[in-house]
């Protein structure tokens, strides 16, 4: 194994944000996000992330190269659009950890790094006393012309991790697709997991 995982918070995340921005732009060009990335937007997004309560940046590194990353923050620090479905459903936002992106270079997939991304973010959620972990995934029609013929959704991986799709929890969020001239709204559906209570030995 020639990769390693680091979990960073506070000022320790700052030196890595430009590499994280590059990873997000590159990986999110792939299906199903088709994101036409913009470095200025990424820097603004990541500045907000780095200022959010309870944030953690999980890096996968090969030497000094960032090969993947994952983020999380207390839901109170997330975009209000992502908070609203939970408010409407009666959740206590203070009990929720929001997982942002989990992106990994294709050459390093299938080696367990994705599981480590979840392990580290769930550990941060438990340190903060959160009851729930959640993330959202974009919904694209199966007939979309850019859907790869060999595409396999990550649903089975997420379910194995204990997450369940919550069709009642969804948000519309805009970005510009590759080859498009303007942003369009995309539907994002949330997945949630109730985190196990830590065993204190009592």
């Amino acid at each position: 194994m020639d990769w390693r995982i680091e979990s960073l918070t506070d000022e320790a995340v700052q030196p890595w944000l430009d590499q994280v921005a590059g990873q997000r732009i590159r990986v999110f060009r792939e299906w199903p996000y088709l994101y036409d990335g913009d470095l200025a937007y990424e820097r603004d997004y990541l500045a907000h992330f780095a200022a959010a309560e309870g944030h953690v940046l999980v890096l996968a590194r090969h030497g000094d190269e960032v090969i993947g990353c994952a983020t999380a923050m207390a839901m109170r620090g997330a975009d209000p659009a992502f908070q609203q479905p939970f408010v409407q459903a009666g959740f206590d936002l203070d009990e929720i950890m929001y997982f942002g992106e989990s992106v990994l270079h294709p050459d390093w997939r299938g080696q367990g790094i994705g599981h480590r991304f979840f392990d580290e973010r769930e550990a941060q959620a438990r340190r903060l006393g959160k009851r729930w972990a959640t993330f959202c995934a974009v919904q694209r029609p199966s007939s979309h012309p850019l859907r790869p013929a060999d595409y396999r959704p990550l649903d089975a991986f997420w379910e194995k991790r204990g997450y369940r799709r919550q069709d009642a929890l969804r948000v519309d969020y805009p970005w510009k697709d590759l080859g498009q001239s303007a942003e369009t709204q995309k539907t994002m559906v949330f997945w949630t997991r109730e985190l196990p209570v830590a065993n204190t030995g009592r």
Side-chain angles (χ1 to χ4, degrees):
M1 182 177 71
D2 52 359
W3 50 267
R4 67 182 185 276
I5 297 290
E6 295 177 275
S7 289
L8 306 174
T9 61
D10 301 326
E11 292 302 313
V13 309
Q14 294 296 332
W16 301 101
L17 294 184
D18 277 355
Q19 286 199 59
V20 171
Q23 286 284 332
R24 278 175 46 89
I25 290 172
R26 185 187 56 75
V27 173
F28 281 147
R29 290 177 65 88
E30 301 174 10
W31 176 269
Y33 286 90
L34 305 176
Y35 168 55
D36 188 1
D38 174 87
L39 188 56
Y41 171 86
E42 290 298 317
R43 285 175 170 159
D44 182 68
Y45 166 83
L46 290 168
H48 174 83
F49 156 75
E53 173 194 346
H55 69 267
V56 63
L57 170 63
V58 185
L59 291 180
R61 292 172 56 194
H62 171 60
D64 289 331
E65 178 190 3
V66 174
I67 58 174
C69 57
T71 64
M73 67 184 77
M75 180 59 95
R76 287 282 184 192
D79 189 302
F82 292 89
Q83 299 176 16
Q84 192 59 31
F86 291 88
V87 171
Q88 292 176 340
F91 282 81
D92 181 350
L93 294 185
D94 291 325
E95 293 186 336
I96 305 172
M97 193 75 172
Y98 173 67
F99 292 179
E101 64 283 296
S102 178
V103 295
L104 182 62
H105 191 286
D107 292 348
W108 295 90
R109 294 172 187 170
Q111 299 188 38
I113 298 175
H115 279 292
R116 288 294 306 278
F117 283 165
F118 273 92
D119 290 341
E120 296 296 318
R121 292 182 296 177
E122 289 170 3
Q124 175 73 346
R126 287 192 292 270
R127 281 192 291 269
L128 296 175
K130 304 302 182 185
R131 177 181 176 186
W132 299 95
T134 189
F135 63 88
C136 56
V138 67
Q139 304 302 292
R140 298 277 192 178
S142 58
S143 60
H144 194 289
L146 296 181
R147 179 187 171 100
D150 60 351
Y151 173 69
R152 291 194 306 168
L154 292 172
D155 296 30
F157 170 76
W158 297 330
E159 289 172 352
K160 185 177 180 180
R161 292 286 321 188
Y163 289 82
R164 297 295 177 262
R165 177 184 167 117
Q166 307 294 340
D167 284 312
L169 298 174
R170 57 180 60 211
V171 62
D172 290 333
Y173 201 76
W175 66 82
K176 186 159 72 75
D177 279 358
L178 295 172
Q180 302 299 311
S181 59
E183 293 183 344
T184 55
Q185 296 283 346
K186 317 297 191 302
T187 297
M188 311 277 284
V189 172
F190 286 90
W191 291 64
T192 64
R193 180 189 180 201
E194 187 169 8
L195 297 170
V197 176
N199 185 354
T200 64
R202 288 184 288 178

